[in-house]
């Protein structure tokens, strides 16, 4: 129930967001200009840490590792913290805003028509690696940290800038392991203004080395071509994926919930010989009740030996979802008639599974914000600047209601 006092606070917060938004959009450009591919987030986290200090959030550094319960990525975590800033409350409970500082790598610089770290603006679009995924989320989170200092808070508000959302999820897990439990959470990542995400497929990265028998190209008949062997194995696994999609054509709002995507392939150096080996990496997506362990077993039947990569995530769904329902209610109230709001599952992945209450049960949480854009993970990624203010206002209204629960 929205009381007069809540509506008054809402009006104040919305006005403050409009007042300071441009400052945070300029700061977003600073974030985009600082490269932070997964594994190299330190410089960008330093920028976020400084902003948290300026806002009086007293950020704490929390670190993952390669031991249980973390997923072993083989990376060094000694100088790669996730950050948690805190706005104290006067009552019990915690609400977390979460966004990730790591980004996809740049794989083909020539494919970009705007410099990937230039933060160039063209009309309503801010271009750059991480502009949409997820530095706009970081900027929005810090804006909300500033404006919520102007209202009385019951529960504590936590602001988590995490690493490794793009694969392992170890950053958000480190926050929980450090004792930053939360009753409710909004992950500001991956959603347009009229969409919230509460469910996603499971995901696996698999890395293969396929040996062959080398020979000059003119003697191909006595060679074993690892490229052809790799293609045959991939084709066999893809046929299994197609069979599963016939058996399970949908899961929640996703069609064809099993997928296989080859993301890397390397072999040979010229056309004059059959190469000694091929190496490739692929991503498998799958719905429940399948588990990562079961999918690994299936994949080995078709691919042979491989190494499981940094992404190894089970399917996740949390319905009914109180937070998603509150977002939907507020967006429909504030943006009535603009577009139908949807709560949905997606084929990607996120950190929702790692956000927990103090008793270890799942926190009520969903993805919402920072708004729309295009081309995440590929060339010419961009964020719609016009989404920043209305989405931040939608989040603020949802936080106000969560603080009353």
């Amino acid at each position: 129930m929205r009381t007069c006092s809540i509506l008054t606070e809402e009006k104040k917060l919305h006005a403050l967001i409009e007042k300071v938004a441009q400052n945070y959009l300029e700061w977003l450009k600073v974030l985009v200009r600082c490269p932070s591919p997964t594994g190299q987030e330190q410089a960008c986290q330093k920028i976020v840490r400084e902003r948290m200090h300026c806002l009086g959030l007293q950020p704490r550094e929390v670190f993952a590792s390669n031991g249980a319960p973390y997923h072993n990525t083989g990376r060094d975590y000694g100088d790669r913290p996730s950050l948690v800033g805190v706005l104290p409350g006067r009552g019990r409970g915690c609400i977390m805003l979460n966004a990730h500082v790591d980004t996809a790598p740049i794989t083909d610089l020539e494919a970009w028509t705007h410099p990937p770290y230039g933060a160039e603006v063209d009309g309503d679009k801010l271009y750059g690696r991480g502009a949409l995924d997820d530095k706009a989320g970081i900027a929005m989170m810090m804006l909300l940290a500033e404006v919520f200092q102007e209202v009385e808070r019951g529960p504590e508000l936590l602001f988590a800038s995490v690493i490794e959302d793009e694969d392992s999820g170890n950053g958000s897990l480190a926050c929980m392991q450090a004792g930053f439990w939360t009753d409710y959470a909004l992950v500001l990542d991956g959603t347009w203004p009229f969409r919230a995400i509460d469910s996603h497929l499971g995901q696996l990265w698999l890395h293969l080395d396929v040996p062959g028998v080398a020979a000059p190209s003119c003697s191909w008949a006595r060679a074993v071509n690892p490229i052809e062997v790799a293609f045959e194995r991939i084709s066999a696994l893809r046929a299994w994926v197609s069979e599963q999609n016939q058996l399970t054509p949908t899961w929640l709002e996703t069609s064809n919930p099993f997928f296989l995507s080859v993301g890397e392939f390397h072999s040979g150096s010229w056309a004059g010989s059959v190469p000694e080996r091929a190496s490739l990496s692929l991503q498998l997506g799958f719905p429940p009740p399948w588990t990562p362990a079961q999918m690994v077993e299936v994949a080995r039947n078709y691919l042979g030996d491989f190494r499981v990569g940094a992404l190894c995530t089970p399917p996740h769904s949390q319905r009914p979802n109180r937070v998603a329902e509150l977002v939907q209610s507020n967006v429909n109230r504030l943006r009535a008639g603009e577009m139908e709001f949807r709560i949905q599952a997606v084929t990607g992945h996120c950190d929702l599974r790692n956000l927990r209450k103090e008793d270890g049960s799942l926190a009520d949480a969903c993805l919402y914000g920072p708004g729309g854009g295009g081309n995440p993970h590929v060339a010419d990624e961009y964020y719609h600047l016009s989404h920043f203010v209305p989405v931040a206002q939608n989040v603020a209204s949802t936080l106000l209601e969560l603080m009353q629960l």
Side-chain angles (χ1 to χ4, degrees):
M1 180 177 180
R2 300 178 185 95
T3 64
C4 291
S5 62
I6 292 177
L7 293 174
T8 299
E9 295 281 42
E10 178 183 73
K11 184 176 180 181
K12 182 198 327 188
L13 285 170
H14 286 195
L16 285 169
I17 288 168
E18 292 179 355
K19 180 178 179 180
V20 303
Q22 191 57 43
N23 296 337
Y24 283 90
L25 288 174
E26 292 301 317
W27 187 65
L28 171 57
K29 296 177 186 177
V30 175
L31 295 177
V32 172
R33 293 183 184 120
C34 182
S36 57
T38 303
Q40 303 173 46
E41 310 93 346
Q42 298 93 323
C44 202
Q45 282 290 62
K46 181 179 179 181
I47 296 171
V48 178
R49 186 189 302 110
E50 290 171 353
R51 178 60 58 122
M52 285 186 174
H53 275 301
C54 289
L55 293 174
L57 300 181
Q58 299 181 333
R60 178 176 167 186
E61 296 182 343
V62 297
F63 294 88
S65 74
N66 284 307
Y70 299 100
H71 181 62
N72 187 348
T73 65
R75 300 187 185 115
D76 184 0
Y77 290 96
D79 64 344
R80 297 174 50 233
S82 291
L83 303 173
V84 182
V86 180
L87 276 182
R90 296 185 177 181
R92 300 189 61 181
C94 294
I95 302 171
M96 175 180 282
L97 292 183
N98 176 297
H100 68 91
V101 73
D102 63 310
T103 72
I106 304 297
T107 56
D108 184 357
L109 187 59
E110 293 184 357
W112 288 74
T113 61
H114 298 267
Y117 300 117
E120 290 185 352
V121 175
D122 184 358
D124 184 41
K125 298 176 180 178
L126 171 64
Y127 284 90
R129 172 58 79 233
L132 172 64
D133 184 21
D134 180 32
K135 292 181 177 180
I138 295 283
M140 185 173 293
M141 182 172 67
M142 291 295 92
L143 177 152
L144 291 163
E146 177 173 334
V147 300
F148 265 86
Q149 298 189 47
E150 303 303 318
V151 299
E152 184 174 337
R153 300 171 301 278
E156 186 173 69
L157 296 184
L158 305 176
F159 303 87
S161 174
V162 302
I163 65 170
E164 291 195 8
D165 167 274
E166 294 291 0
D167 50 36
S168 73
N170 282 345
S172 288
L173 181 56
C175 298
M176 301 300 108
Q177 291 299 114
F180 289 106
W181 314 104
T182 184
D183 300 293
Y184 304 101
L186 277 164
V187 179
L188 306 179
D189 179 25
T191 58
W192 285 64
F194 290 88
R195 182 179 77 161
I197 294 169
D198 65 353
S199 308
H200 64 75
L201 296 179
Q203 316 278 335
L204 279 175
W205 280 349
L206 306 179
H207 305 293
L208 292 74
D209 285 308
V210 181
V213 177
S217 290
C218 57
S219 301
W220 62 270
R222 60 182 174 85
V224 176
N225 194 317
I227 298 174
E228 295 176 358
V229 172
F231 285 171
E232 289 171 359
R233 294 180 184 179
I234 292 297
S235 295
L237 181 55
R238 194 178 296 280
W240 181 87
V241 166
S242 296
E243 291 174 2
Q244 297 307 306
N245 281 328
Q246 291 178 359
L247 294 171
T248 309
T250 61
W251 174 65
L252 300 177
E253 293 78 28
T254 64
S255 300
N256 297 319
F258 292 84
F259 72 82
L260 184 161
S261 174
V262 178
E264 289 184 275
F265 195 100
H266 305 280
S267 188
S269 59
W270 71 315
S273 64
V274 175
E276 288 85 357
R277 66 178 53 252
S279 62
L280 63 152
S281 298
L282 59 90
Q283 183 166 330
L284 277 175
F286 53 94
W290 290 85
T291 67
Q294 290 172 324
M295 290 299 295
V296 165
E297 184 177 351
V298 168
R300 289 205 191 281
N301 291 333
Y302 295 96
L303 302 178
D305 290 334
F306 54 76
R307 176 174 58 85
V308 177
L311 179 60
C312 182
T313 304
H316 175 89
S317 184
Q318 190 178 9
R319 292 186 182 176
N321 189 304
R322 180 60 171 153
V323 176
E325 291 168 355
L326 278 178
V327 173
Q328 181 178 41
S329 173
N330 279 292
V331 174
N332 286 341
R333 174 176 61 89
L334 296 168
R335 318 293 167 192
E338 294 184 29
M339 190 179 293
E340 181 182 0
F341 191 93
R342 293 176 296 157
I343 300 172
Q344 68 179 85
V346 292
T347 55
H349 66 95
C350 64
D351 283 355
L352 287 176
R353 69 194 184 282
N354 287 328
L355 303 178
R356 301 277 169 167
K357 300 178 182 180
E358 189 172 4
D359 64 6
S361 63
L362 281 172
D364 291 305
C366 74
L367 269 67
Y368 179 70
N375 304 326
H377 294 194
V378 296
D380 285 341
E381 178 179 352
Y382 67 88
Y383 173 68
H384 282 302
L385 297 170
S386 61
H387 291 181
F388 193 71
V389 168
V391 171
Q393 291 173 332
N394 297 343
V395 174
S397 294
T398 301
L399 287 177
L400 277 176
E401 289 205 58
L402 286 172
M403 284 169 23
Q404 309 306 310
L405 298 181

